[in-house]
Amino acid sequence: EVQLVESGGGLVQPGGSLRLSCEASGFTFSRHWMTWVRQGPGKGLEWVANIKEDGSARYYVDSVKGRFTISRDDAKDSVYLQMNTLRADDTAVYYCARVFRGVFASDAFDIWGQGTMVTVSP
Amino acid sequence: DIQMTQSPSSLSASVGDRVTITCRASQSISIYLNWYHQKPGKAPKLLISAASHLQSGVPSRFSGSGSGTDFTLTISSLQPEDFATYYCQQTYSIPPTFGQGTKVEIK
């Protein structure tokens, strides 16, 4: 079964750090870009970061640049999100997702984990 | 960044109704437009990629069309399991941005 399982969420104080993990199974992890998407309470979806198959390219939404780092370990079929200097507006459910490259080299997020909740509060 | 605007923000419909949701991009994105739906407490699910390509396992009552800046998701006959929030997403350029969502509720 193709699946992604996130872990590492929790309650953290403003200015603190947290590391999210996402373990993949059921597909060849090393062949895919991977991404993180978040959803604040009662809000829509916001892309956070993605990482190329070989880890040689990484991209971030402006609001997390310099604070968050995406990485991967293909030996463990896992992608990570290191989150530093957390703020209240980082409070959200964080999803990891697989990037699927389809027709005409179009990308879509075709497999999603169940999400892990991050709460930033004093 | 490319802004994605969906309309309507919410709608009420009955089982069996034909439902149409539109998505407009702030600049041309060719066909790099995806549709997802999300049920409360669940992860989003990819329905359509590249504007009109139905994902494997997604019922044929879902269809997508459009190119450039204007796109449409149509549900030909709404079913009980289709009540959810629908999001469009552009992957033409980084950052990949989502629309604000369209909540489809039971009338």
Side-chain angles (χ1 to χ4, degrees):
Chain A
E1 180 188 6
V2 175
Q3 70 173 356
L4 298 168
V5 178
E6 301 100 334
S7 60
L11 174 64
V12 60
Q13 293 188 339
S17 298
L18 213 53
R19 186 193 194 215
L20 306 183
S21 299
C22 170
E23 184 173 1
S25 59
F27 65 95
T28 306
F29 179 77
S30 60
R31 293 183 182 174
H32 291 270
W33 284 70
M34 296 296 295
T35 193
W36 288 93
V37 174
R38 67 184 179 183
Q39 186 170 37
K43 296 189 175 180
L45 301 169
E46 180 185 37
W47 171 79
V48 175
N50 62 15
I51 185 167
K52 194 176 178 182
E53 299 98 328
D54 61 2
S56 63
R58 313 174 193 204
Y59 299 94
Y60 302 90
V61 67
D62 283 348
S63 60
V64 309
K65 282 179 183 174
R67 300 190 299 123
F68 290 13
T69 302
I70 188 171
S71 62
R72 64 190 295 157
D73 183 343
D74 288 354
K76 296 183 178 180
D77 289 343
S78 294
V79 61
Y80 307 99
L81 189 67
Q82 177 67 44
M83 305 185 295
N84 299 331
T85 319
L86 282 160
R87 312 185 305 218
D89 62 356
D90 295 317
T91 294
V93 175
Y94 284 73
Y95 297 99
C96 69
R98 184 178 82 170
V99 181
F100 162 75
R101 175 146 291 186
V103 295
F104 310 115
S106 64
D107 288 337
F109 302 166
D110 69 332
I111 305 296
W112 294 66
Q114 84 286 356
T116 187
M117 182 71 205
V118 173
T119 302
V120 184
S121 178
Chain B
D1 297 0
I2 297 174
Q3 306 303 314
M4 307 300 294
T5 303
Q6 292 180 230
S7 61
S9 295
S10 64
L11 65 90
S12 295
S14 300
V15 172
D17 283 354
R18 181 181 181 88
V19 169
T20 298
I21 299 169
T22 64
C23 179
R24 175 164 288 178
S26 59
Q27 65 184 75
S28 178
I29 58 170
S30 184
I31 61 163
Y32 296 101
L33 189 284
N34 307 312
W35 290 99
Y36 303 82
H37 76 182
Q38 184 182 33
K39 298 180 182 180
K42 300 294 187 181
K45 176 184 176 181
L46 177 64
L47 301 173
I48 288 171
S49 62
S52 62
H53 291 261
L54 201 66
Q55 288 301 106
S56 175
V58 174
S60 58
R61 63 181 179 272
F62 291 93
S63 63
S65 64
S67 65
T69 60
D70 294 314
F71 301 85
T72 300
L73 173 71
T74 300
I75 309 172
S76 60
S77 178
L78 197 66
Q79 297 301 301
E81 60 268 31
D82 301 336
F83 292 96
T85 300
Y86 289 78
Y87 295 95
C88 63
Q89 176 205 32
Q90 67 80 20
T91 53
Y92 178 81
S93 66
I94 292 175
T97 43
F98 292 89
Q100 81 280 14
T102 295
K103 188 172 184 179
V104 177
E105 299 177 300
I106 301 172
K107 182 183 283 187

